Amino acid sequence: MRWLLLIPPLAAAVTLALLFGLESGDAASAVALNPNHECSFCHGLHGGNTNPLLRGASIEATCLSCHGPAGTAILADVHKNDPTGNSCCAPFRVTCMECHDPHSNQTNWRGNENLKLVRANITGANGTRPVVLETRSGDFSFCDLEGPTGETGYPQAVGEYDNVCDVCHANPDLARHHLNSDKQHHQSPNTCPSCHTHDNAFSP
Amino acid sequence: MQARFHKFVRFLPAAIVFVVLASCEELPDAASTHEPRGLTGLRPDLVSVAPGEMQSPVRIAQDKQGRLYVSDYQSQSVVMLDAGGGGVFVAAAFTVPGNPLGIEWAKGNLLLVGNATTRTVDVYRTTNGKWFYSLGGVGAIGDPSDIAADSDRDLAFVVDGEAFAVKVFDLRNGALLYTISGPGPGSYYLQNPTAIALDPSRGEVLVSDFGDPAVSGSPPSVKIYTYEGDHVKTLSGKSGMLGQKFSRPQGLAVDALGRILLVDAVAGEVLVLDRQTGNVLETYGTLGSGPGELWLPLDLVVDDNQMLYVTNNRPRRVEVFSLGG
C-alpha cells in the first residue's frame, strides 16, 4: 500500500484514467479538458508508455503528430525564425507548451476562459505576464481596435500588454496596435495570426 | 517492456551508420563539404532551398539511380538529394505553388507531388522541375498526404486524408480509375490514413492509419489491401490489453525480405514488422534530436543496398541507417 503514496496524485489520476479508459467528465480526471481532445490523444502512446507522463521532445512530437504536416488535425507549428530565411532575429524557438495548456482553457485575470487552450500566463523575455484571449465583438483580442462596447481606438487592457503576442513583443510600435508605427500593415484591424499564420511559425 | 528494450539495444549500435544533411544550427553542415552534383538545366529561379536548408522535410522518394526526393512542407519546395561518398547532400531544389506533402518517382523521369494548398497531385519532370500535368485535375484530391506508384502497371495510388480513402489513378493520362476504402467502421475501412506503400510482388497496397483516437475499437494500424481494393489484413498497433507497438504510424515500405518498415512519428523509431504476424522484429532510431535520433520522423525509403533513409522533421534532416548491420 505504501507505494501508492509515492505516486503523485496527478500521475495516479492519469494512470487510472488511462487504465480504465475514463475520459473528461469522469471523477478520476484531474483536469478539465477541451472538447476537441481526449486524454488518450496525448497520454499512453507508444514510446511514452513506460511512463504515462509526457516529457521534453515527446510533447512537441505528440502535438505535431496530429497538428503537423501529414497529420490529421488543423495545422500549427512552433514559433521560430521565419522559415523563408528572411528572419529579423537571432535563432529562437517557442514551443507549444509555452503558449498552450493542453488540459484546459485557463481562466484569465478578467475571470473569463481564454480561447484555444491559450495559457493565462506566458513567460518570455519580459517575465511572466497575464494573457487575455477572448471573443470580443466576434473577434479575438489580438490587436482589435474595438473596445468591449464597440468604441474604436480602444487600447485593450491599457498597461497590461496582455494580448498573446504583446506579452513577449511589448513594443508599442510593433505589437500594441501599431498606432504610431511606420509599419502601416500593423495598423490594420486584423488579428496578428491572420497575417502571421500559426502553420508558418507566426512569421510574416 | 524489458524484453523490448533488450532487443532495441542489441540492434541499435549496428544500425546507425551515419547521419547527414545537417541543416539545423547546432550541427555541422555536411552539405557544404560536398560539391553539389546538381541537376543540369535547372533554372536558378526555381531553386529556393539552399543546400543544407530544409525547413520541414515530410515525404521521401527514390528514383532508379538512387537519387532521393524530399517534400519540404514549409519552404514549399521539392529537394533533391544525392547519396554517396559517405553522405547525403542537397543537389538541387525547385519550388511548388503551395505546401507539398506526398511525393513519388515514376518511370519516364516523372515526379508526383501532392500539394496540400492547391489540393492537387502535380506531375513534374525531374530533369527540369517543370510541371507536366495533374492527376485527376483540380479538386480530385483534398489532402494528398502520400503517393505510391507502380510504374510497370502505370498506376498511382494517392492517400486522400480528407476523403479517408486511397484514390487510384492511371499514370498515362491522369484519370481517376477507382477508390479504395472510404470512411467506414471496423478494421476493414480507413479511418485516418496517413501514408502508403506498395508491394508489387504481391500486388498489395499498405496504408498507415492513425485509427480514430477517440474510439477504442479503432486503434492505429497498417491496413493491407489488394491493388483492386479488397481488404487482406490489418496489423494493429495495439498489443495485448494495454501494450502498443506503434501509435502514430506514418511512412512505410516493404523491404527485400518482405518485412514491413514503418515509422512511428511520436515514438521516434522505425519498426520492422513481420508481415504475417505483425510482430516487431527490430527497431531503428530513438526519440531525440541528436545524430541517429528521430524527432517527428514522417517517412522512409529503403534502397537495394539495404540503406534506410528517414525524413526527420523537427531536426530538419534525413537520417540514414543500414538495415541488418
Side-chain angles (χ1 to χ4, degrees):
Chain A
M1 276 285 97
R2 192 179 303 146
W3 63 270
L4 263 183
L5 298 174
L6 298 175
I7 303 180
L10 272 176
V14 74
T15 309
L16 284 175
L18 296 165
L19 278 177
F20 299 109
L22 302 180
E23 274 143 26
S24 55
D26 288 314
S29 69
V31 279
L33 196 64
N34 185 284
N36 289 304
H37 289 151
E38 297 191 17
C39 312
S40 61
F41 280 22
C42 303
H43 291 288
L45 300 176
H46 169 63
N49 59 357
T50 42
N51 181 344
L53 308 181
L54 288 159
R55 290 286 173 263
S58 70
I59 299 181
E60 196 179 300
T62 301
C63 305
L64 290 176
S65 69
C66 294
H67 291 294
T72 50
I74 194 162
L75 270 159
D77 203 349
V78 297
H79 182 23
K80 62 176 184 196
N81 297 77
D82 187 344
T84 60
N86 302 320
S87 182
C88 59
C89 331
F92 73 99
R93 203 172 197 283
V94 187
T95 188
C96 320
M97 294 292 284
E98 294 179 59
C99 294
H100 293 286
D101 174 357
H103 294 122
S104 72
N105 296 307
Q106 294 186 350
T107 306
N108 61 43
W109 66 271
R110 293 174 180 234
N112 303 321
E113 272 193 2
N114 275 354
L115 297 164
K116 307 281 177 190
L117 300 171
V118 164
R119 291 184 175 280
N121 295 286
I122 291 181
T123 304
N126 305 315
T128 301
R129 290 174 176 268
V131 177
V132 175
L133 179 64
E134 302 168 353
T135 307
R136 191 112 23 106
S137 327
D139 211 357
F140 296 147
S141 62
F142 277 106
C143 46
D144 57 340
L145 302 176
E146 220 175 84
T149 51
E151 66 271 36
T152 52
Y154 176 74
Q156 184 247 308
V158 189
E160 295 288 346
Y161 294 99
D162 65 354
N163 124 13
V164 187
C165 312
D166 281 358
V167 291
C168 293
H169 298 282
N171 169 351
D173 253 12
L174 257 185
R176 299 209 72 223
H177 323 305
H178 319 292
L179 291 175
N180 305 312
S181 177
D182 54 338
K183 300 186 194 308
Q184 291 300 319
H185 54 262
H186 279 157
Q187 299 192 23
S188 85
N190 300 327
T191 71
C192 321
S194 68
C195 296
H196 300 278
T197 61
H198 205 328
D199 63 341
N200 197 37
F202 294 115
S203 288
Chain B
M1 255 17 286
Q2 202 57 26
R4 220 185 111 67
F5 185 67
H6 274 279
K7 183 175 285 175
F8 172 71
V9 169
R10 190 149 46 84
F11 284 102
L12 189 64
I16 301 176
V17 175
F18 47 80
V19 181
V20 283
L21 203 82
S23 57
C24 49
E25 298 72 27
E26 58 270 22
L27 286 162
D29 187 352
S32 60
T33 62
H34 294 272
E35 192 62 50
R37 265 182 238 152
L39 287 178
T40 50
L42 199 82
R43 287 183 9 232
D45 58 304
L46 289 171
V47 179
S48 78
V49 180
E53 275 185 6
M54 286 191 295
Q55 287 295 334
S56 180
V58 180
R59 302 289 186 213
I60 187 165
Q62 192 169 37
D63 67 16
K64 286 268 187 293
Q65 280 74 48
R67 171 166 282 168
L68 300 161
Y69 302 86
V70 174
S71 56
D72 188 353
Y73 189 86
Q74 234 161 21
S75 74
Q76 308 200 332
S77 323
V78 168
V79 181
M80 308 181 192
L81 307 166
D82 274 335
V88 173
F89 52 95
V90 174
F94 66 89
T95 48
V96 295
N99 303 101
L101 284 175
I103 195 161
E104 175 67 317
W105 179 88
K107 75 160 185 246
N109 289 326
L110 300 182
L111 199 64
L112 285 62
V113 181
N115 192 315
T117 312
T118 57
R119 301 155 64 86
T120 49
V121 171
D122 303 318
V123 183
Y124 297 86
R125 292 198 185 279
T126 58
T127 42
N128 58 11
K130 282 198 180 131
W131 175 79
F132 188 27
Y133 64 98
S134 297
L135 298 183
V138 176
I141 303 128
D143 176 22
S145 169
D146 199 13
I147 308 168
D150 184 330
S151 290
D152 295 333
R153 285 174 242 195
D154 293 310
L155 294 174
F157 297 76
V158 181
V159 173
D160 185 344
E162 208 171 272
F164 311 104
V166 171
K167 291 176 175 166
V168 187
F169 294 89
D170 188 333
L171 264 178
R172 290 164 302 188
N173 56 17
L176 175 65
L177 298 173
Y178 55 95
T179 295
I180 296 177
S181 187
S187 61
Y188 297 95
Y189 297 91
L190 296 170
Q191 248 93 34
N192 277 300
T194 54
I196 190 165
L198 300 179
D199 184 346
S201 64
R202 291 192 178 80
E204 286 177 356
V205 187
L206 297 87
V207 187
S208 285
D209 192 336
F210 276 14
D212 186 342
V215 177
S216 62
S218 296
S221 66
V222 171
K223 288 175 179 150
I224 306 179
Y225 301 87
T226 63
Y227 270 21
E228 292 72 37
D230 295 324
H231 180 260
V232 177
K233 69 185 329 179
T234 293
L235 304 177
S236 172
K238 271 178 70 170
S239 99
M241 243 215 353
L242 295 168
Q244 281 180 67
K245 296 171 196 161
F246 53 86
S247 51
R248 297 277 194 269
Q250 281 282 358
L252 71 174
V254 179
D255 77 357
L257 302 169
R259 307 177 305 172
I260 298 169
L261 309 177
L262 174 71
V263 290
D264 184 329
V266 164
E269 56 182 34
V270 175
L271 303 140
V272 182
L273 301 174
D274 184 293
R275 194 192 159 279
Q276 292 306 321
T277 61
N279 289 342
V280 180
L281 304 172
E282 300 176 40
T283 65
Y284 293 88
T286 178
L287 183 81
S289 56
E293 295 178 338
L294 301 171
W295 188 11
L296 201 74
L298 292 175
D299 200 13
L300 54 78
V301 289
V302 56
D303 69 11
D304 297 341
N305 304 322
Q306 295 288 92
M307 298 303 269
L308 175 65
Y309 301 90
V310 184
T311 44
N312 199 1
N313 184 272
R314 293 287 95 188
R316 298 150 58 197
R317 298 193 299 258
V318 169
E319 228 68 33
V320 189
F321 301 87
S322 162
L323 282 180

